[in-house]
């Protein structure tokens, strides 16, 4: 009997600890989109005609396989960030894909079907220069890798090193290219800039140097940028200075100089200031390259040339032309060329490489995005039809990192917006009202002429609502008769409208490439996109919502501040976040570098918030700038404060705005830059609501919170990286007075520090060098048992410093990012959303990070429901809000309130984008999906009829009693 009790207890415990996501709930309230980043190398799998694989290597250090029919990922390998995981080159032959990573640190061979690792070898030290397949008797057997001072030979089957040899004169010669055509030799080509070319031939079997020649080339500085190998081992180079082509037979022992061919002799002209580009192709590494090649003489000028017997002939002149590429299927190689058709479209055609003749019925029309980037690369997937003719599909890569896959006659099969792999900032904007909702808003927002007019308007509004309700019911009935796969619920800009609980919003995302996206938060569909040209790679972005959709009929308005980190110069982009259209509004001139931007709670006559921009001369520019705005600024100048941060000098400066819109320095805090450096400064979120001013103690007294809206959290790190002397510093500074409210130091610690600053608390995370672990520390500020001023908070009138409580905890995992949940009224308990390097998003209750957690349980602590203190924070599997939908390289988490107090909208972005809803206090204001409406309706109807019958019986009884 005892074992039954024990088993039942274990069952109850497991039942309590078990949590799961039902199969029908997956994807119902969440979605994930996976990306790979800007593509550097791309190869179509030509191993078989039916292959659907597209192998890509990207600037985000990712090697992946895409489905060429749908654009979805087959598999993806995410390498380390930074130079250590940088992909140097990608070689593809058959089902083998060889990747060299980390400046020649590691070479891996992947099986392209399933993405499995065939082998991996660590290469010898030295900077990577080139790699190539080497074939023998029409079979590719080896991989040659050229480093700065050595060449190594590896078997393609297992990666084992066959031999390694030093390169002669590697101190002066820059070896940059390796070449083989299956004749038993491998050639390594190097250059001494502005002097000569060096060609070294190695024997494939033992690595013995067969020959070494040197050829004068005083005009050459780089082989990679100027030369290709065409035909039977002919080195072809182009010189933009002398406007000439140079040829050199690599297998000839007699020639000691290159043959010069003037472009003018071929009736060719180079566009002024353009660097000519040569493009050749070697379909089979075990055979010689083709004799045909492309020569680009201008941004829109390509030529298909052929080199035979030392003579160059022009097969076809493509002018104008934007892009050109070779493609091979079986034994046939074709050339694809993109030519502009008009300002909004381009045409892609195929041409034979031996004659330059255009193949019939091969035109594909590519329509340019009106707000997108220009085409930058063209990839052709050729295949043989049943009649042995060549068909093809094309993939176009644009400047904004978008990939578009096309097939005849121009149908877009799929497209991928790889710019979303690097989101830098985002905002969520409420959707606009529907027509009927706007009609009701207009009814209450305008003055009626009289009682009769109000009644008529109300009746008309109700008729419109009745009509829309009947149309909705008819659509439900009509869709119910169709199969589920034929019911279309496509989201378009025209059908966007605010739902009942404001759960569907517009996600406005800004990417590092300068492309803006408007994404529907419910489905993840991209509704609009806009590419900002001429954005510097190191630019910083700040997105601000100046006007929401709450001010009908005024359209919503967002302002994007783009700042160049080197020069400090900034520009503004104002647009409608719902439709993505650029606003036709005059923008202020910003000739000086911008130091700070402030979005004030003040509004102009059109309900747009006022944006202040402070330049390096401390001059203030207002946007929008009109008489009404300037008058408001003059009236409110005494209450407008801002701060500036100079991280290089460790200086924080506080300023106040004067009535003449000049600035006045009122405080300054200097942190010694030689001891510690400022790494982050953060205030509180302006849209954050605090529901309770205090906490009720176990003895029924109230401990009031220190709710300073002007409090700044400053995080510093020591400049000394020694384990015993390194530290992390925390400063809480009042942004109005400059007073340091609290200072904390974590010794023997270092960053990166992730922190959240909210309400009266701050949570930050750091690495403990002594214990070698991640630790959390929490600060909470309280005014005490008495509230100094219950109506308004003033930084200028605070005679007593707050009480500060602090506690630290151990966290068993590294952390990538940290954010707190946010709800509309602040009633729901707070959770911390922790992004982990493993791809999980953890929802950690704030109650576990309470500095008042007692070590010894008392009656009062039980009354407050305080958890006993334990140094280790647990990670429970049910706390992961993304179950198995991992988010690779998560960089940020954005939270936004919904119309339901219980629900917080969460977006995690990094390499992937994941959107979901979290319920920190469960769904206390929403009925569950499995709520039994039939049962409750039956009970209510039964009670109603029982009441009516009982009432009738009671009346009869009273009547009979009255007649007695």
């Amino acid at each position: 009997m005892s074992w039954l009790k024990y088993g039942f207890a274990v069952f109850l415990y497991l039942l309590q600890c078990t949590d799961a996501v039902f199969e029908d709930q997956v994807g119902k309230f969440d979605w994930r989109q996976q990306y790979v980043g800007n593509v550097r190398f791309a190869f179509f799998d030509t191993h078989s005609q039916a292959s659907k694989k597209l192998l890509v290597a990207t600037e985000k250090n990712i090697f992946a396989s895409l489905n060429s029919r749908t654009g979805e990922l087959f598999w993806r390998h995410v390498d380390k960030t930074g130079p250590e995981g940088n992909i140097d080159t990608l070689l593809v032959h058959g089902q083998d894909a060889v990747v060299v990573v980390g400046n020649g640190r590691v070479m891996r061979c992947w099986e392209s079907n399933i993405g499995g690792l065939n082998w991996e070898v660590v290469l010898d030290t030295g900077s990577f220069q080139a790699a190539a397949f080497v074939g023998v008797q029409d079979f590719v057997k080896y991989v040659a890798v050229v480093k700065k001072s050595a060449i190594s030979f590896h078997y393609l089957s297992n990666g084992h090193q066959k031999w390694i040899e030093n390169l002669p004169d590697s101190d002066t010669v820059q070896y940059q290219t390796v070449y083989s055509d299956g004749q038993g030799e491998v050639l390594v080509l190097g250059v001494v800039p502005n002097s000569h070319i060096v060609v070294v031939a190695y024997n494939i079997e033992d690595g013995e140097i067969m020959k070494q020649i040197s050829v004068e080339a005083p005009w050459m500085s780089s082989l990679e940028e100027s030369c290709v190998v065409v035909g039977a081992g002919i080195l072809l180079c182009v010189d933009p200075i002398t406007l000439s082509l140079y040829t050199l037979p690599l297998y000839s022992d007699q020639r000691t100089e290159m043959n010069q061919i003037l472009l003018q002799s071929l009736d060719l002209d180079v566009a002024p200031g353009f660097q000519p580009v040569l493009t050749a192709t070697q379909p089979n590494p075990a055979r010689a390259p083709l004799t045909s090649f492309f020569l680009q003489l201008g941004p829109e000028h390509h030529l298909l040339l052929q080199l035979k017997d030392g003579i160059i002939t022009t097969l076809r002149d493509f002018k104008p032309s934007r892009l050109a590429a070779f493609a091979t299927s079986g034994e046939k190689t074709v050339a694809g060329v993109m030519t502009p058709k008009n300002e909004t479209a381009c045409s892609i055609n195929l041409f034979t490489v031996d004659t330059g003749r255009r193949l019939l019925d091969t035109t594909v029309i590519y329509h340019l995005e009106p707000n997108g980037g220009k085409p930058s690369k063209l990839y052709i997937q050729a295949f043989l039809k049943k009649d042995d003719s060549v068909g093809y599909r094309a993939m176009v890569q644009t400047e904004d990192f978008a990939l578009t896959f096309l097939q005849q006659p121009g149908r877009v099969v799929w497209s991928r917006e790889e710019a979303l792999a690097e989101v830098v900032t985002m905002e969520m904007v409420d959707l606009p009202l529907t027509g009927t909702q706007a009609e009701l808003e207009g009814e209450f927002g305008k003055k009626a002429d009289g009682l009769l007019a109000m009644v008529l308007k109300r009746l008309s509004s109700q008729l419109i609502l009745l009509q829309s309700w009947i149309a909705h019911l008819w659509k439900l009935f009509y869709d119910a008769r169709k199969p589920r796969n034929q019911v279309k619920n496509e989201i378009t800009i025209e059908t966007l409208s605010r739902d009942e609980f404001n759960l569907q919003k517009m996600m406005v995302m800004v990417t590092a490439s300068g492309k803006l996206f408007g994404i529907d938060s419910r489905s993840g569909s991209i509704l609009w996109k806009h590419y900002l040209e001429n954005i510097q790679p190191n630019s910083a972005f700040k997105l601000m919502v100046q006007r929401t959709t709450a001010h009908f009929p005024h359209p919503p308005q967002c302002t994007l501040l783009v700042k160049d980190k080197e020069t400090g110069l900034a520009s503004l982009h104002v647009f409608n976040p719902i439709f993505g259209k650029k606003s036709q509004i005059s923008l202020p001139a910003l000739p000086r570098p911008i130091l700070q931007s402030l979005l004030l709670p003040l509004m102009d006559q059109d309900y747009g918030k006022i944006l202040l921009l402070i330049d390096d001369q401390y001059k203030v520019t207002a946007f929008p700038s009109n008489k009404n705005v300037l008058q408001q600024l003059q009236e409110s100048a005494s209450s407008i404060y801002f701060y500036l941060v100079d991280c290089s000098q460790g200086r924080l400066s506080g300023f106040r705005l004067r009535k003449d819109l000049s600035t006045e320095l009122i405080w300054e805090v200097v942190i010694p830059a030689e001891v510690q450096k400022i790494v982050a400064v953060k205030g509180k979120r302006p849209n954050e609501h605090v529901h309770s001013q205090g906490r009720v103690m176990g003895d029924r007294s109230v401990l009031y919170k220190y709710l300073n809206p002007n409090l700044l959290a400053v995080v510093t790190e020591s400049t000394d990286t020694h384990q015993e002397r390194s530290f992390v510093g925390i400063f809480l500074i009042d942004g109005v007075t400059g007073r340091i409210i609290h200072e904390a130091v974590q010794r023997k610690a270092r960053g990166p520090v992730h922190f959240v600053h909210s309400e009266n608390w701050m949570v930050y995370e750091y690495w403990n060098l002594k214990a070698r672990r991640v630790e959390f520390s929490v600060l909470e500020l309280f005014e005490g048992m008495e509230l100094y001023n219950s109506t308004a908070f003033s930084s200028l009138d605070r005679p007593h410093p707050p009480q500060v409580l602090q506690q630290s905890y151990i966290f068993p995992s590294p952390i990538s990012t940290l954010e707190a949940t946010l709800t509309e009224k602040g009633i729901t308990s707070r959770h911390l959303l922790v992004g982990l390097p493993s791809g999980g998003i953890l929802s950690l209750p704030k109650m576990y990070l309470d500095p008042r957690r007692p070590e010894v349980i008392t009656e009062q602590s039980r009354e407050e429901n305080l958890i006993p203190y334990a140094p280790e924070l647990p990670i429970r599997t049910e706390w992961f809000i993304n179950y198995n939908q991992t988010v690779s390289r998560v960089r940020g988490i954005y939270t936004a309130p919904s119309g339901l107090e219980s629900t917080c909208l969460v977006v995690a972005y990094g390499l992937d984008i994941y959107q979901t809803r979290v319920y920190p206090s469960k769904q206390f204001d929403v009925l569950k999906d499995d709520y039994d409406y039939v049962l409750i309706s039956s009970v209510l109807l039964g009670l109603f009829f029982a009441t009516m019958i009982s009432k009738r019986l009671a009346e009869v009884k009273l009547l009979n009693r009255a007649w007695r």
Side-chain angles (χ1 to χ4, degrees):
M1 192 67 181
S2 60
W3 68 271
L4 287 176
K5 293 181 179 179
Y6 176 75
F8 185 68
V10 171
F11 172 74
L12 290 179
Y13 174 76
L14 293 176
L15 185 64
Q16 182 182 4
C17 296
T18 302
D19 194 9
V21 177
F22 291 102
E23 185 178 358
D24 59 345
Q25 290 180 322
V26 174
K28 186 174 183 180
F29 303 118
D30 64 340
W31 50 265
R32 180 184 65 166
Q33 295 176 353
Q34 294 181 297
Y35 299 97
V36 295
N38 186 27
V39 174
R40 290 183 59 195
F41 308 101
F43 293 93
F44 288 100
D45 186 9
T46 58
H47 182 67
S48 64
Q49 287 286 101
S51 178
K52 302 178 182 179
K53 294 185 295 296
L54 169 62
L55 302 176
V56 295
T58 70
E59 293 180 352
K60 306 295 288 184
N61 302 349
I62 291 169
F63 177 49
S65 174
L66 303 179
N67 187 335
S68 62
R69 302 295 189 269
T70 62
E72 297 179 353
L73 283 174
F74 277 134
W75 47 262
R76 180 181 67 177
H77 296 292
V78 181
D79 213 319
K80 299 178 181 179
T81 57
E84 193 175 358
N86 181 57
I87 297 178
D88 300 316
T89 188
L90 171 63
L91 306 174
V92 177
H93 178 74
Q95 297 183 1
D96 296 320
V98 177
V99 179
V100 181
V101 177
N103 197 17
R105 179 180 58 90
V106 175
M107 181 167 61
R108 302 186 182 99
C109 180
W110 301 91
E111 206 280 330
S112 60
N113 284 329
I114 60 175
L117 181 64
N118 290 333
W119 49 262
E120 178 185 61
V121 294
V122 178
L123 302 175
D124 291 342
T125 58
S127 60
F128 174 81
Q129 300 298 325
F133 285 127
V134 178
V136 178
Q137 297 178 354
D138 285 347
F139 293 99
V140 177
K141 294 184 178 181
Y142 309 106
V143 182
V145 180
V146 176
K147 294 291 193 74
K148 179 177 174 59
S149 58
I151 176 174
S152 59
F153 235 57
H154 301 264
Y155 290 97
L156 180 60
S157 58
N158 53 26
H160 293 171
Q161 182 176 292
K162 182 178 176 65
W163 53 261
I164 183 172
E165 295 292 338
N166 292 325
L167 295 170
D169 302 325
S170 60
D171 295 336
T172 57
V173 180
Q174 299 177 6
Y175 292 96
Q176 299 176 348
T177 305
V178 59
Y179 166 75
S180 174
D181 55 7
Q183 295 185 8
E185 294 182 358
V186 58
L187 304 179
V188 181
L189 283 68
V191 61
V192 177
N194 303 319
S195 179
H196 60 275
I197 296 175
V198 176
V199 180
V200 183
Y202 289 89
N203 189 305
I204 289 179
E205 297 301 327
D206 54 8
E208 179 185 357
I209 296 180
M210 306 293 292
K211 68 175 181 179
Q212 179 179 350
I213 61 174
S214 177
V215 181
E216 295 294 326
W219 48 270
M220 182 177 293
S221 59
S222 174
L223 279 169
E224 292 179 314
E225 299 176 357
S226 305
C227 301
V228 294
V229 179
V230 298
I234 305 297
L235 181 66
L236 178 67
C237 303
V238 60
D239 179 22
I241 299 177
T242 61
L243 301 179
S244 303
L245 291 174
Y246 292 86
T247 60
L248 174 66
L250 297 177
Y251 292 104
S252 175
D253 296 330
Q254 291 80 17
R255 184 176 294 276
T256 57
E257 62 180 15
M258 302 185 73
N259 181 29
Q260 181 181 9
I261 303 174
L262 294 175
L263 294 177
Q264 188 176 2
S265 64
L266 302 174
D267 296 330
L268 303 179
D269 294 324
V270 181
F274 185 79
Q275 173 73 35
V277 179
L278 289 169
T279 304
T281 181
Q282 186 178 7
N284 190 343
R287 298 178 184 176
L290 300 183
T291 58
S292 301
F293 60 93
F294 276 114
L295 173 61
Q296 185 178 2
L297 297 178
E300 293 191 354
H301 187 194
H302 293 76
L303 293 105
L304 182 61
L305 306 176
Q306 190 177 52
L307 175 61
K308 270 189 178 181
D309 301 327
I311 300 175
I312 296 178
T313 56
T314 301
L315 299 180
R316 197 175 186 103
D317 189 347
F318 303 99
K319 187 176 183 181
S321 60
R322 291 191 173 181
L323 299 172
F326 290 105
T328 301
S329 178
E331 297 295 328
K332 292 187 177 182
T333 301
V334 292
V337 179
M338 174 186 287
T339 58
K341 194 177 182 65
N342 50 49
E343 294 183 356
T344 61
C346 296
S347 63
I348 304 173
N349 291 278
L350 284 190
F351 299 86
T352 58
V353 294
D354 51 354
T355 62
R357 179 179 57 85
R358 187 174 75 87
L359 299 178
L360 299 178
D361 301 327
T362 60
T363 301
V364 171
I365 303 300
Y366 170 66
H367 296 278
L368 301 175
E369 289 282 348
N371 297 316
K374 299 178 181 178
S376 59
K377 290 182 181 179
L378 176 65
Y379 303 94
I380 301 296
Q381 182 189 26
F383 57 89
L384 295 178
K385 299 180 181 179
K386 293 181 178 179
D387 57 355
D388 204 32
S389 62
V390 179
Y392 77 106
R393 304 178 186 93
M395 186 178 73
V396 181
Q397 182 179 357
T398 54
E399 296 173 341
D400 54 1
F401 306 163
L403 297 177
T404 305
F405 195 76
L406 306 165
Q407 72 177 25
Q408 290 180 293
R411 186 175 70 89
V412 176
V413 181
W414 53 263
S415 63
R416 292 179 61 92
E417 294 291 346
E418 295 301 336
L420 288 170
E422 199 169 358
V423 176
V424 292
T425 183
M426 66 164 293
E427 289 287 344
M428 273 192 172
V429 182
D430 294 343
L431 293 178
L433 302 172
T434 62
T436 55
Q437 291 171 339
E439 185 72 22
L440 292 176
E441 289 287 335
E443 176 184 345
F444 292 104
K446 298 179 182 179
K447 293 183 179 180
D449 297 333
L451 180 62
L452 181 61
M454 287 187 66
V455 171
L456 293 177
K457 196 161 190 177
R458 169 58 61 87
L459 291 175
S460 63
S461 300
Q462 297 298 325
L463 287 175
I464 293 175
L465 288 174
L466 179 62
Q467 181 181 1
S468 62
W469 181 67
I470 293 174
H472 176 67
L473 290 180
W474 173 252
K475 184 177 183 302
L476 291 178
F477 174 74
Y478 185 73
D479 290 343
R481 300 170 58 189
K482 293 182 179 180
R484 182 173 296 181
N485 56 359
Q486 295 183 8
V487 178
K488 294 183 179 180
N489 293 318
E490 294 182 356
I491 303 296
T492 61
I493 291 182
E494 290 74 15
T495 60
L496 276 181
S497 61
R498 191 180 307 174
D499 59 308
E500 187 176 2
F501 299 119
N502 201 14
L503 295 170
Q504 185 179 7
K505 295 176 181 285
M506 176 67 75
M507 296 165 46
V508 181
M509 289 188 161
V510 182
T511 63
S513 64
K515 194 167 187 178
L516 281 66
F517 293 90
I519 301 177
D520 174 41
S521 66
R522 175 168 293 177
S523 63
S525 303
I526 298 176
L527 301 178
W528 60 264
K529 46 196 172 183
H530 187 90
Y531 178 60
L532 303 178
E533 297 181 353
N534 302 322
I535 298 296
Q536 299 299 323
N538 60 344
S539 297
F541 301 88
K542 185 175 182 180
L543 182 62
M544 295 157 284
V545 182
Q546 281 193 284
R547 184 170 53 233
T548 65
T549 54
H551 306 287
F552 182 83
H554 299 286
Q557 178 176 306
C558 278
T559 299
L560 178 64
L561 178 65
V562 185
K563 178 180 175 181
D564 190 334
K565 289 184 179 180
E566 292 185 358
T567 63
L569 298 177
S571 60
L572 294 177
H573 176 70
V574 185
F575 61 97
N576 185 323
I578 304 300
F579 303 104
K581 296 180 180 178
K582 186 176 180 180
S583 299
Q584 302 299 324
I585 186 172
S586 59
L587 300 177
L590 303 174
R592 305 291 305 177
I594 299 299
L595 301 181
Q596 182 65 287
S597 61
L598 303 172
L599 190 62
L600 303 180
L602 305 177
M603 295 185 179
D604 61 1
Q605 66 275 13
D606 295 330
Y607 303 99
K609 292 183 179 180
I610 301 174
L611 176 63
L612 294 186
L613 303 172
I614 297 93
D615 61 18
D616 59 345
Q617 295 182 349
Y618 310 117
K619 293 183 179 179
V620 177
T621 302
F623 173 73
S625 181
N626 50 49
K627 186 177 180 181
N628 177 271
V629 170
L630 297 178
Q631 182 179 356
Q632 288 193 65
L633 289 177
Q634 291 175 357
E635 294 174 354
S636 308
S638 59
S639 61
I640 298 177
Y641 297 81
F642 64 92
Y643 67 93
L644 298 177
V645 182
D646 189 349
C647 295
S648 61
Q649 300 182 6
R651 179 182 292 111
L652 280 83
S653 307
F655 293 83
R656 181 178 63 185
L657 189 66
R658 293 175 176 173
K659 289 190 175 181
D660 58 352
L661 299 187
S662 61
T663 58
E664 176 186 3
L665 178 66
I666 56 175
W667 60 266
E668 191 173 70
V669 175
V670 179
I671 299 174
E674 63 275 5
V675 178
Q676 52 188 331
K677 57 183 179 180
I678 300 175
V679 295
V681 179
K682 185 186 293 185
K684 299 178 182 179
R685 295 181 65 168
N687 60 340
E688 184 179 77
H689 295 278
V690 181
H691 178 257
S692 177
Q693 285 188 329
R695 293 184 58 172
V696 180
M697 302 290 99
D699 57 358
R700 297 298 185 267
S701 60
V702 178
L703 183 61
Y704 290 98
K705 301 175 182 178
Y706 180 75
L707 300 173
N708 186 351
N710 309 312
L711 197 63
L712 301 176
V714 182
V715 179
T716 64
E717 290 184 24
S718 62
T719 55
D720 192 343
T721 57
H722 190 273
Q723 177 177 339
E724 297 295 328
R725 296 184 295 271
S726 61
F727 63 88
V728 171
I730 305 295
F731 297 87
L732 298 179
I733 301 176
D734 192 300
V736 173
T737 62
R739 184 174 60 168
I740 298 178
I741 304 299
H742 181 70
E743 179 181 355
V745 177
Q746 303 293 335
R747 302 192 181 279
K748 299 180 182 179
R750 63 172 173 84
V753 179
H754 302 95
F755 66 100
V756 173
H757 185 205
S758 176
E759 290 190 16
N760 68 318
W761 52 268
M762 176 185 176
V763 174
Y764 58 97
E765 167 268 339
Y766 54 90
W767 175 257
N768 188 323
L769 288 170
K770 182 178 180 180
R772 301 182 64 82
R773 65 194 182 197
V774 176
E775 293 183 358
F776 269 110
S777 194
V778 56
L779 295 170
E780 284 204 22
L781 288 75
F782 297 94
E783 288 197 19
M785 296 301 177
E786 295 182 0
L787 194 60
Y788 180 73
N789 190 340
S790 60
T791 57
F793 186 94
S794 174
S795 296
L796 304 175
D797 185 19
R798 286 286 134 178
H800 305 294
Q803 303 174 11
V804 181
L805 303 179
Q806 184 171 3
Q807 217 167 49
S808 296
Y809 301 89
I810 302 169
F811 194 72
S813 171
I815 291 175
S816 298
T817 186
L818 196 64
E819 189 53 84
T821 57
L822 187 67
T823 54
E824 190 172 19
K825 301 297 182 183
I827 302 174
T828 305
S829 59
R830 306 295 294 274
H831 278 206
L832 288 178
L833 300 175
V834 185
L836 305 180
S838 61
I841 308 296
L842 186 73
S843 182
L844 178 65
K846 172 62 175 59
M847 65 174 66
Y848 282 86
L849 292 168
D850 192 337
R852 299 184 65 251
R853 287 177 60 178
E855 295 182 5
V856 180
I857 296 295
T858 62
E859 285 296 328
Q860 291 189 1
S861 62
R862 288 194 184 96
E863 286 288 332
E864 296 182 53
N865 291 326
L866 292 177
I867 304 173
Y869 177 76
E872 297 89 1
L873 288 174
I875 295 182
R876 299 180 180 175
T877 54
E878 63 266 24
W879 286 353
F880 285 98
I881 63 175
N882 58 335
Y883 44 104
N884 66 343
Q885 304 291 309
T886 57
V887 183
S888 297
R889 294 183 187 169
V890 57
R891 287 191 311 274
I893 297 176
Y894 180 87
T895 57
S898 67
L900 295 173
E901 175 57 31
S902 65
T903 306
C904 173
L905 304 179
V906 177
V907 180
Y909 56 88
L911 190 58
D912 306 326
I913 298 177
Y914 178 74
Q915 194 274 340
T916 187
R917 307 172 188 172
V918 294
Y919 317 99
S921 299
K922 306 298 182 183
Q923 288 184 283
F924 56 84
D925 51 1
V926 177
L927 295 176
K928 294 183 179 179
D929 290 342
D930 57 352
Y931 185 78
D932 199 339
Y933 293 95
V934 176
L935 177 62
I936 194 66
S937 301
S938 303
V939 171
L940 289 176
L941 287 174
L943 290 175
F944 174 75
F945 286 115
T947 303
M948 298 300 295
I949 294 172
S950 300
K951 181 180 178 181
R952 178 60 181 167
L953 293 176
E955 291 176 353
V956 171
K957 185 177 181 180
L958 289 175
L959 183 62
N960 293 335
R961 182 182 297 176
W963 280 103
R964 289 178 183 175

